[in-house]
Structure formats: structure tokens, C-alpha cells
Amino acid sequence: MEKAMSQTSNMHVVGESDGRILPTKGPNSEGQPKGEGPEGRRPTKENTGPTAAARTQSRSTALYGREGVREAAHKDKKVRFTALLHQVTAPLLLNSYYELKKQAAPGVDGVTWQQYGTGLMERINDLHDRVQKGAYRAQPSKRAYIPKEDGRQRPLGIASLEDKIVQQALVTVLNEIYEQDFKGFSYGFRPARSAHDALDALTVGLTRKKVNWVLDADIRGFFDNVDHEWMLKFLQHRIADRRVLRLVSKWLKAGVSEEGTWSETKKGTPQGAVISPLLANIYLHYVLDLWAHRWREKYAWGDIILTRYADDCAPRAQRAEKGPMCVTA
């Protein structure tokens, strides 16, 4: 059910230069999206205002193209974008490099942030060429573990540096679309939102509403069990660019390297990968948020307030007499 975009919208979506770039440094986020506001309270000034202006002319040109994507996504919730990979420009890849954590552990490539900075412009231009020509290849994630509070270990997947750069760039582009779609009660891993905002929403719900009960839900092993086929189906509600879908599929199926041994990944998205939080929010948007939103408006009685941070959810209710309020999966 692909819906054609208008000529004006298409011009904004794909009308961006793929030219070479000059050295620059330091990323800044663009203006905030027009998506649904936070749950349970009015947006605060510091959470909704525009961030610092672009530093370079090339960055401003890239921003213009992404603004076109944002406006088209906001105007039509059913439009599917057919030419998104053009938005992953060399200037965006450069700024994505600067957005990465400088001291992060290297992936299977063994390349650190500092090492990649040697001959940076040549590296970025070469990476851009490979991404646009389809010659870019995703590398497996390097397995690492961190201790959990209950004594178990949480598996992490450390991507190679170039995978991190491309993922960060694609997240920047996809955020322009999905920030127009996500519900206000979703707080985790989103621009201009934080755990403190989720706690604020909880506080408002508990102190200003007639709350009779609270349900705290956590989806067990969510990141490790994301279904790849459904993930790609959900993406296709908005994304019709096959090159972008193939790129995401490459990352999902790249596998894991642990002590030099490669293993296939048939499900899940690596915790620690730059793109995983966004993919998680997209997945939960379709399997949880839309259902919960519809259930609350169509069937529930009294006040039902939802707060979701990644795969953790805390609905509060005055009463819910027309049906069960179950948010686990």
C-alpha cells in the first residue's frame, strides 16, 4: 500500500548533494521534532526548544534535506519513503563520527575512535562511496559482558567503528520520521527525552490523578529476542527504500564474534549497537504502544496513564473495568 509522495516532498527527501566535504568538527542536534508530547505533563521549555545551530554550511545543506523528510512524515502518517539513503551524506557521516564516544571499546576491527581519525576525510569519503554503491559490508559484533544487579551477566555487542558511524547517521535520518510517529508515553532513547522525564511523568500521574493501582512490566530478554522478520515488516510501514532495509538487515544478521569464533544471529538486535535503541522503539511502537493507546481510548474506563522507557513499562490506572491491562510480551 505504498503511497506516493508529492513532488515537493520528494524534492526535499532526495534533493541533497552527495558532494565531497571539507574538514569540520563537532556535531550538534537539530531542532526538535513535532511528535506527540510527553505523557502526563506539558513539555518543559528545555526539553522542547531547538538545540545549537549547525556549524558548517555543508551541515546546513544536509539539515535542509532532513527537514523535508521530517515535514513529509509529519504531514502524512502513511507515507512511505523511497529514497532515504541519499540522506546519508558524507557530511552526516563525518558528524556521526564526532558523535561517537571517544573512549568506547573497539569492535572486531580493532580500530579505535582516535585511530580512525588519522586520514579522517579520506576514510569518510571512501565510506560514503561504499554505502551509496552498496559495497559497504557490516561486520559481526564483538561479544562482551557486563554484570547485572542479580549476579547474571548482560551480553553486549560491540560494533566496528565504521558500523557505528553508519548506524549513527541512519539513526539521525530515521529519527526525522519516527519522532513524528512515536507516542508521548515513550521516553527511552529518544532525542530530548531522558529517564528523568519518565520519572517526572510517573510523579505527575501518581500525585495528580486518582490512581488505584500501578503495574510495573519489564519484557524479559527483549533485545535478545527481537524477531528479524517482524522488525523488517514494521520498518516497511514507513520505509520503502530497499537499500535502507538491506542495510538494517545486514546489521541484524551480521552475527557475533566471541573469542574469535563467529556465530549466526537468527533473532535479536545487539545491546550496545548504536541503532538498536531506535529499532527497539520502532518494534515496541507497533507491538505495544499502538495497542495500548487504542485500548486506553476505546475500552478503558477512568484514567489510564502509561510510561514506557525502552522495554520497561509502568501503566497507572484509576480503574479498567472493560478489559485486562496486560503489557507484558
Side-chain angles (χ1 to χ4, degrees), residues 38-72:
E39 180 87 352
R41 61 184 176 87
R42 294 182 178 180
T44 57
K45 182 177 180 181
E46 53 267 38
N47 285 338
T48 57
T51 55
R55 293 187 181 182
T56 66
Q57 183 175 358
S58 60
R59 183 166 170 79
S60 298
T61 302
L63 173 60
Y64 176 80
R66 294 200 300 276
E67 282 181 343
V69 174
R70 184 191 314 163
E71 291 298 327

Short mmCIF file of all heavy atoms in Angstrom, two decimals, residues 38-72:
data_model
loop_
_atom_site.label_atom_id
_atom_site.label_comp_id
_atom_site.label_asym_id
_atom_site.label_seq_id
_atom_site.Cartn_x
_atom_site.Cartn_y
_atom_site.Cartn_z
N PRO A 38 5.07 14.63 25.78
CA PRO A 38 5.21 13.67 26.87
C PRO A 38 3.90 13.38 27.55
O PRO A 38 2.96 14.17 27.54
CB PRO A 38 6.20 14.36 27.83
CG PRO A 38 6.93 15.33 26.97
CD PRO A 38 5.92 15.79 25.96
N GLU A 39 3.83 12.22 28.19
CA GLU A 39 2.64 11.77 28.89
C GLU A 39 2.52 12.46 30.25
O GLU A 39 3.49 12.59 30.98
CB GLU A 39 2.72 10.25 29.11
CG GLU A 39 1.55 9.64 29.83
CD GLU A 39 0.44 9.28 28.88
OE1 GLU A 39 0.52 9.63 27.71
OE2 GLU A 39 -0.52 8.63 29.33
N GLY A 40 1.32 12.90 30.57
CA GLY A 40 1.03 13.32 31.92
C GLY A 40 1.45 14.72 32.29
O GLY A 40 1.21 15.16 33.39
N ARG A 41 2.09 15.46 31.41
CA ARG A 41 2.51 16.82 31.75
C ARG A 41 2.81 17.58 30.47
O ARG A 41 3.01 16.99 29.42
CB ARG A 41 3.76 16.82 32.63
CG ARG A 41 4.97 16.18 31.95
CD ARG A 41 6.14 16.13 32.90
NE ARG A 41 7.27 15.45 32.30
CZ ARG A 41 8.18 16.05 31.55
NH1 ARG A 41 8.09 17.33 31.29
NH2 ARG A 41 9.19 15.38 31.04
N ARG A 42 2.86 18.88 30.59
CA ARG A 42 3.24 19.70 29.45
C ARG A 42 4.75 19.66 29.26
O ARG A 42 5.49 19.59 30.21
CB ARG A 42 2.78 21.15 29.66
CG ARG A 42 1.26 21.31 29.68
CD ARG A 42 0.90 22.76 29.84
NE ARG A 42 -0.55 22.94 29.82
CZ ARG A 42 -1.15 24.12 29.94
NH1 ARG A 42 -0.41 25.21 30.09
NH2 ARG A 42 -2.46 24.20 29.91
N PRO A 43 5.21 19.72 28.00
CA PRO A 43 6.66 19.71 27.76
C PRO A 43 7.32 20.91 28.43
O PRO A 43 6.79 22.02 28.42
CB PRO A 43 6.77 19.80 26.24
CG PRO A 43 5.45 19.34 25.71
CD PRO A 43 4.44 19.76 26.75
N THR A 44 8.48 20.68 29.04
CA THR A 44 9.21 21.79 29.63
C THR A 44 9.99 22.51 28.55
O THR A 44 10.29 21.96 27.51
CB THR A 44 10.20 21.26 30.69
OG1 THR A 44 11.06 20.31 30.05
CG2 THR A 44 9.47 20.59 31.83
N LYS A 45 10.33 23.74 28.83
CA LYS A 45 10.99 24.57 27.82
C LYS A 45 12.30 23.95 27.37
O LYS A 45 12.61 23.89 26.19
CB LYS A 45 11.23 25.95 28.40
CG LYS A 45 11.89 26.92 27.41
CD LYS A 45 12.03 28.28 28.05
CE LYS A 45 12.67 29.26 27.09
NZ LYS A 45 12.84 30.60 27.70
N GLU A 46 13.09 23.41 28.35
CA GLU A 46 14.40 22.90 27.98
C GLU A 46 14.33 21.59 27.22
O GLU A 46 15.29 21.18 26.60
CB GLU A 46 15.27 22.71 29.24
CG GLU A 46 14.61 21.87 30.33
CD GLU A 46 13.88 22.75 31.32
OE1 GLU A 46 13.27 23.74 30.91
OE2 GLU A 46 13.94 22.46 32.53
N ASN A 47 13.18 20.92 27.26
CA ASN A 47 13.06 19.65 26.55
C ASN A 47 12.54 19.81 25.14
O ASN A 47 12.56 18.87 24.37
CB ASN A 47 12.11 18.71 27.31
CG ASN A 47 12.78 18.13 28.54
OD1 ASN A 47 14.01 18.10 28.61
ND2 ASN A 47 12.00 17.68 29.50
N THR A 48 12.01 20.95 24.80
CA THR A 48 11.36 21.09 23.51
C THR A 48 11.98 22.16 22.62
O THR A 48 11.68 22.23 21.45
CB THR A 48 9.87 21.45 23.69
OG1 THR A 48 9.78 22.65 24.46
CG2 THR A 48 9.14 20.33 24.41
N GLY A 49 12.86 22.97 23.14
CA GLY A 49 13.44 24.03 22.35
C GLY A 49 14.49 23.54 21.40
O GLY A 49 15.04 22.45 21.56
N PRO A 50 14.83 24.32 20.37
CA PRO A 50 15.86 23.92 19.43
C PRO A 50 17.23 23.92 20.07
O PRO A 50 17.50 24.69 20.99
CB PRO A 50 15.76 24.98 18.33
CG PRO A 50 15.13 26.16 19.00
CD PRO A 50 14.21 25.61 20.04
N THR A 51 18.10 23.05 19.58
CA THR A 51 19.45 22.97 20.10
C THR A 51 20.35 23.90 19.30
O THR A 51 19.90 24.67 18.48
CB THR A 51 19.96 21.53 20.02
OG1 THR A 51 19.84 21.11 18.66
CG2 THR A 51 19.13 20.62 20.89
N ALA A 52 21.65 23.80 19.54
CA ALA A 52 22.59 24.72 18.92
C ALA A 52 22.53 24.64 17.40
O ALA A 52 22.22 23.61 16.82
CB ALA A 52 24.01 24.40 19.40
N ALA A 53 22.84 25.75 16.75
CA ALA A 53 22.75 25.82 15.29
C ALA A 53 23.85 25.02 14.64
O ALA A 53 24.86 24.69 15.25
CB ALA A 53 22.84 27.28 14.87
N ALA A 54 23.66 24.71 13.36
CA ALA A 54 24.67 23.97 12.59
C ALA A 54 25.94 24.80 12.48
O ALA A 54 25.89 26.02 12.37
CB ALA A 54 24.12 23.63 11.21
N ARG A 55 27.08 24.11 12.46
CA ARG A 55 28.36 24.82 12.47
C ARG A 55 28.93 25.06 11.09
O ARG A 55 29.80 25.91 10.91
CB ARG A 55 29.38 24.02 13.30
CG ARG A 55 29.04 23.98 14.77
CD ARG A 55 30.17 23.31 15.54
NE ARG A 55 29.87 23.23 16.96
CZ ARG A 55 30.70 22.73 17.87
NH1 ARG A 55 31.86 22.27 17.50
NH2 ARG A 55 30.34 22.69 19.12
N THR A 56 28.52 24.28 10.12
CA THR A 56 29.12 24.42 8.80
C THR A 56 28.05 24.56 7.74
O THR A 56 26.91 24.15 7.92
CB THR A 56 29.98 23.19 8.45
OG1 THR A 56 29.12 22.07 8.33
CG2 THR A 56 31.02 22.92 9.51
N GLN A 57 28.44 25.13 6.60
CA GLN A 57 27.48 25.30 5.51
C GLN A 57 27.04 23.95 4.97
O GLN A 57 25.88 23.75 4.66
CB GLN A 57 28.12 26.12 4.39
CG GLN A 57 27.16 26.41 3.24
CD GLN A 57 27.78 27.32 2.21
OE1 GLN A 57 28.91 27.76 2.37
NE2 GLN A 57 27.05 27.61 1.16
N SER A 58 27.97 23.00 4.86
CA SER A 58 27.60 21.68 4.37
C SER A 58 26.62 21.01 5.30
O SER A 58 25.71 20.32 4.87
CB SER A 58 28.85 20.80 4.22
OG SER A 58 29.51 20.65 5.45
N ARG A 59 26.77 21.21 6.61
CA ARG A 59 25.84 20.64 7.58
C ARG A 59 24.47 21.27 7.43
O ARG A 59 23.45 20.62 7.54
CB ARG A 59 26.38 20.83 8.99
CG ARG A 59 25.50 20.19 10.06
CD ARG A 59 26.25 20.12 11.37
NE ARG A 59 25.37 19.73 12.47
CZ ARG A 59 24.98 18.49 12.71
NH1 ARG A 59 25.36 17.52 11.91
NH2 ARG A 59 24.21 18.21 13.75
N SER A 60 24.41 22.57 7.16
CA SER A 60 23.14 23.23 6.95
C SER A 60 22.43 22.68 5.72
O SER A 60 21.21 22.50 5.71
CB SER A 60 23.36 24.73 6.79
OG SER A 60 23.91 25.30 7.96
N THR A 61 23.19 22.38 4.66
CA THR A 61 22.60 21.79 3.46
C THR A 61 21.99 20.43 3.77
O THR A 61 20.90 20.11 3.33
CB THR A 61 23.67 21.66 2.37
OG1 THR A 61 24.22 22.94 2.10
CG2 THR A 61 23.08 21.09 1.09
N ALA A 62 22.72 19.62 4.57
CA ALA A 62 22.21 18.31 4.94
C ALA A 62 20.95 18.44 5.78
O ALA A 62 20.00 17.67 5.64
CB ALA A 62 23.28 17.53 5.70
N LEU A 63 20.93 19.41 6.67
CA LEU A 63 19.77 19.63 7.52
C LEU A 63 18.54 19.94 6.70
O LEU A 63 17.44 19.48 6.99
CB LEU A 63 20.07 20.78 8.50
CG LEU A 63 18.89 21.26 9.38
CD1 LEU A 63 18.38 20.10 10.23
CD2 LEU A 63 19.34 22.41 10.27
N TYR A 64 18.70 20.74 5.62
CA TYR A 64 17.56 21.09 4.77
C TYR A 64 16.89 19.83 4.23
O TYR A 64 15.68 19.71 4.21
CB TYR A 64 18.04 21.98 3.63
CG TYR A 64 16.94 22.32 2.64
CD1 TYR A 64 16.02 23.33 2.92
CD2 TYR A 64 16.83 21.63 1.44
CE1 TYR A 64 15.02 23.64 2.02
CE2 TYR A 64 15.83 21.94 0.53
CZ TYR A 64 14.92 22.94 0.83
OH TYR A 64 13.94 23.24 -0.06
N GLY A 65 17.70 18.87 3.77
CA GLY A 65 17.13 17.63 3.25
C GLY A 65 16.38 16.87 4.31
O GLY A 65 15.29 16.35 4.06
N ARG A 66 16.93 16.76 5.51
CA ARG A 66 16.26 16.01 6.57
C ARG A 66 15.02 16.74 7.07
O ARG A 66 14.06 16.10 7.51
CB ARG A 66 17.25 15.77 7.72
CG ARG A 66 18.39 14.85 7.32
CD ARG A 66 19.07 14.24 8.51
NE ARG A 66 19.63 15.22 9.41
CZ ARG A 66 20.83 15.79 9.25
NH1 ARG A 66 21.57 15.48 8.18
NH2 ARG A 66 21.29 16.65 10.13
N GLU A 67 15.01 18.04 7.01
CA GLU A 67 13.80 18.78 7.36
C GLU A 67 12.67 18.43 6.40
O GLU A 67 11.49 18.35 6.81
CB GLU A 67 14.07 20.29 7.33
CG GLU A 67 14.81 20.80 8.55
CD GLU A 67 15.03 22.30 8.49
OE1 GLU A 67 14.91 22.87 7.38
OE2 GLU A 67 15.32 22.89 9.53
N GLY A 68 13.00 18.19 5.13
CA GLY A 68 11.99 17.76 4.18
C GLY A 68 11.40 16.42 4.55
O GLY A 68 10.19 16.19 4.44
N VAL A 69 12.26 15.50 5.00
CA VAL A 69 11.79 14.20 5.47
C VAL A 69 10.87 14.37 6.66
O VAL A 69 9.79 13.77 6.74
CB VAL A 69 12.99 13.30 5.84
CG1 VAL A 69 12.51 12.00 6.47
CG2 VAL A 69 13.84 13.01 4.61
N ARG A 70 11.30 15.21 7.60
CA ARG A 70 10.50 15.44 8.82
C ARG A 70 9.13 16.01 8.49
O ARG A 70 8.11 15.55 9.02
CB ARG A 70 11.26 16.38 9.75
CG ARG A 70 10.57 16.62 11.10
CD ARG A 70 11.25 17.77 11.84
NE ARG A 70 12.70 17.63 11.81
CZ ARG A 70 13.52 18.64 12.07
NH1 ARG A 70 13.04 19.85 12.33
NH2 ARG A 70 14.83 18.45 12.04
N GLU A 71 9.10 17.01 7.62
CA GLU A 71 7.84 17.64 7.28
C GLU A 71 6.90 16.66 6.56
O GLU A 71 5.70 16.64 6.82
CB GLU A 71 8.08 18.88 6.41
CG GLU A 71 8.76 20.03 7.14
CD GLU A 71 7.94 20.56 8.30
OE1 GLU A 71 6.69 20.54 8.21
OE2 GLU A 71 8.54 20.97 9.30
N ALA A 72 7.46 15.87 5.65
CA ALA A 72 6.64 14.89 4.93
C ALA A 72 6.09 13.84 5.89
O ALA A 72 4.92 13.44 5.80
CB ALA A 72 7.45 14.23 3.82
#
